[in-house]
Amino acid sequence: MTASELQSLPYDAKPDWEGSKGAAPEMLQGYDSAYGTVDTVIDPKAESRMMRKFDLFAVVPLGVLYMLAILDRSNLGNANIGGMPAEISLVGNQFGTATTLLFVTYVPFEAPLSLLVKSVGPKYLISVSALCWGAVTLGMAFITNYKGLYACRILMGMFEAGLIPSCNVYLALVYKKSERGKRVCLFYAFSALSSAFGGLLAYGLIQIHGPNGFSGWRWLFAVEGAATIVLVPIFFVVFPRSPMDAWFLTDGEKKLMLLRYESDIHWGHDEDFSWAEVFKVVVDPKWYAFWLYQFGVDLTLYGFTTFLPAIVQGLGYTSVTANLMTVPIYAASLLFFVVVAFYSDRWRLRGPFLALCTALLFIGLVLLVAVENTKILFLACFFVALGIYPATSLSMMWLQDNVAKYYKRSSMVGMTLTLANTAGVVVGQIFTTDSSPRYIKGLSVCLGFAVLAFAIVVSLMIAMGFVNRKRSSAISNAEQSGHPLPSQPDMGDYDVHFRYSL
């Protein structure tokens, strides 16, 4: 029971925080004279203290690995303006093809790996994946032609595929709906940091030459790959094996964690695997809306983050300065993301904030496509960056807020990401070398999908609000007739007592 729920209890049902003999300090007892029962409630301060431990020992390590994954994956764009194409003799749209190839293996592995999170455990799944993609990134420092580049990108996609599904599923397994926004912000903030830090790192490393002709772009891949390999053992030691038996929890906090799960019958933390729950995804209209939305915003995410250095260079900056000029863009996006996540949790709303962020995407993309003035084009990059991180990350929490039971939720996450990340395949074909540096064709396609994403968010809010009102009316009518409707947790989010988060 949370602090807000405690406030709604009648006076004689409130817990006696000081007179609960024998209770763990995290779980105290209050007597309800109306029912003659003793209810166990959660001390909100103890609960907050416990969740801060998860923030430090789970979310931060996940964020660090995500930052390294983004660095390892997206600095191909920095290498592109740092001399790699000429040195390994890329011709035509071979760079665009290399961008696409990562998703050839990334996409099909996401859904299966999301189902393995609970059985294998995120600790082992993510550690092995990170070690492998770090080794591949290190190997990219030694490629000599397009064949080596293609091979590395295919392998990197396969090894990185388990990271995002594992992280999304884990965050929803540990945190309540009202706690997820700030945590997903903390996690995805490392993505913005990686983009900003990647610009600074690229700025320094690309200027290195030697020894023996070892170019700066090769140092970029070598340093990042080695950093990932070194940090994996630290992650393995720090990250908890599971929420219920995390090494940093006291016995009382482990009982408190169990009580949190038991307070929400739709959480499904101890659910056994069932193919029926997996197949429920494909008959749920929400899934089609979410994956189409995610595809639309991912298209901008992958295109913008990969080709931003080239776009900025096209405004008249040198290749080295172009990497540096991306830093303030990502720094501003990070600060905005923090504000959006804070108020999204505080007001318990996701849809309105996603609508705002897709509107910012629209404004930025319109300016990038239609305007010639370099100062306005640079400003447009800020608009796109402000919208893109909340638009692509809070949406996955919104999905999980509105799906009950573990395996349907994890399946929908994996299947949504699988289809949405086909955007990565498309990006390399619409942001083509011959359209550099303005990339009008690619940005125009992104603009169309940003409009579609905005329409989907508004439609979902209207539809979910209608269902909530309909369910409330059914419950009220049943109670007035003397035949209250029982809760049916097996029905998941189709249970009449389940409420959608708008």
Side-chain angles (χ1 to χ4, degrees), residues 169-424:
V169 170
Y170 186 82
L171 290 175
L173 184 62
V174 173
Y175 295 99
K176 297 177 181 178
K177 292 181 182 182
S178 59
E179 301 167 340
R180 292 172 188 167
K182 290 189 287 291
R183 272 68 184 199
V184 77
C185 172
L186 176 60
F187 172 70
Y188 279 97
F190 284 91
S191 175
L193 282 174
S194 73
S195 299
F197 178 67
L200 289 171
L201 189 64
Y203 175 79
L205 293 178
I206 285 178
Q207 296 181 76
I208 300 175
H209 298 286
N212 300 320
F214 204 73
S215 304
W217 66 267
R218 295 185 183 275
W219 278 108
L220 190 61
F221 289 121
V223 169
E224 291 172 359
T228 302
I229 293 170
V230 168
L231 286 174
V232 167
I234 300 174
F235 171 86
F236 188 81
V237 170
V238 171
F239 193 78
R241 193 174 67 85
S242 73
M244 290 294 295
D245 59 4
W247 62 267
F248 49 78
L249 296 182
T250 65
D251 290 340
E253 286 172 336
K254 291 176 181 178
K255 294 177 182 177
L256 187 154
M257 199 69 195
L258 177 61
L259 187 60
R260 279 166 56 92
Y261 286 135
E262 291 175 344
S263 68
D264 184 354
I265 58 176
H266 295 111
W267 210 327
H269 76 285
D270 57 352
E271 177 187 352
D272 293 327
F273 177 76
S274 167
W275 280 110
E277 291 299 315
V278 177
F279 290 127
K280 283 181 181 179
V281 173
V282 297
V283 296
D284 191 332
K286 297 193 299 294
W287 175 59
Y288 295 91
F290 274 112
W291 79 252
L292 190 56
Y293 165 89
Q294 200 69 30
F295 176 89
V297 292
D298 278 357
L299 201 63
T300 302
L301 174 68
Y302 296 138
F304 186 74
T305 55
T306 300
F307 294 94
L308 179 61
I311 293 172
V312 174
Q313 185 181 15
L315 302 182
Y317 298 100
T318 64
S319 62
V320 172
T321 307
N323 280 319
L324 194 60
M325 291 298 291
T326 64
V327 175
I329 295 174
Y330 288 118
S333 70
L334 175 57
L335 292 175
F336 182 72
F337 192 2
V338 170
V339 174
V340 168
F342 176 82
Y343 283 103
S344 175
D345 269 1
R346 184 170 185 176
W347 295 338
R348 301 193 179 190
L349 291 172
R350 306 279 191 238
F353 289 99
L354 290 173
L356 169 64
C357 293
T358 51
L360 289 173
L361 284 183
F362 173 78
I363 294 170
L365 290 168
V366 165
L367 293 175
L368 284 173
V369 169
V371 175
E372 297 290 337
N373 184 283
T374 55
K375 292 181 179 178
I376 296 178
L377 288 173
F378 190 61
L379 177 64
C381 292
F382 279 88
F383 277 111
V384 176
L386 290 178
I388 195 61
Y389 286 107
T392 53
S393 54
L394 279 182
S395 56
M396 294 309 299
M397 287 300 105
W398 197 28
L399 181 157
Q400 297 195 81
D401 289 348
N402 290 307
V403 180
K405 305 193 71 175
Y406 176 84
Y407 278 106
K408 181 183 178 183
R409 187 166 59 243
S410 60
S411 299
M412 191 176 289
V413 167
M415 294 166 71
T416 297
L417 291 172
T418 291
L419 292 177
N421 281 325
T422 57

Side-chain angles (χ1 to χ4, degrees), residues 13-187:
K14 298 282 181 71
D16 178 7
W17 298 112
E18 297 180 355
S20 302
K21 297 180 179 179
E26 299 87 353
M27 297 180 292
L28 302 167
Q29 297 175 337
Y31 181 72
D32 186 345
S33 61
Y35 296 97
T37 59
V38 176
D39 294 326
T40 303
V41 295
I42 295 174
D43 178 355
K45 292 182 179 179
E47 183 179 28
S48 296
R49 198 161 49 242
M50 178 182 73
M51 300 321 294
R52 283 195 295 271
K53 292 183 180 180
F54 279 103
D55 295 343
L56 179 61
F57 296 114
V59 182
V60 170
L62 287 175
V64 170
L65 279 190
Y66 185 45
M67 178 177 70
L68 292 170
I70 295 296
L71 283 173
D72 293 348
R73 182 199 314 173
S74 65
N75 262 339
L76 188 67
N78 294 316
N80 183 40
I81 63 172
M84 182 189 72
E87 189 167 337
I88 64 172
S89 304
L90 295 184
V91 296
N93 195 42
Q94 286 181 334
F95 177 80
T97 301
T99 303
T100 297
L101 283 175
L102 178 136
F103 297 93
V104 170
T105 47
Y106 190 95
V107 169
F109 279 92
E110 283 188 298
L113 289 173
S114 69
L115 294 176
L116 291 176
V117 172
K118 192 173 182 181
S119 56
V120 175
K123 181 186 183 83
Y124 301 100
L125 192 61
I126 295 174
S127 296
V128 172
S129 296
L131 187 64
C132 291
W133 88 60
V136 171
T137 303
L138 182 60
M140 287 185 69
F142 303 95
I143 58 174
T144 57
N145 54 44
Y146 78 93
K147 294 178 182 179
L149 176 62
Y150 286 2
C152 287
R153 294 290 288 179
I154 290 171
L155 289 172
M156 185 174 293
M158 180 173 65
F159 295 133
E160 285 191 5
L163 178 63
I164 295 301
S166 297
C167 294
N168 276 300
V169 170
Y170 186 82
L171 290 175
L173 184 62
V174 173
Y175 295 99
K176 297 177 181 178
K177 292 181 182 182
S178 59
E179 301 167 340
R180 292 172 188 167
K182 290 189 287 291
R183 272 68 184 199
V184 77
C185 172
L186 176 60
F187 172 70

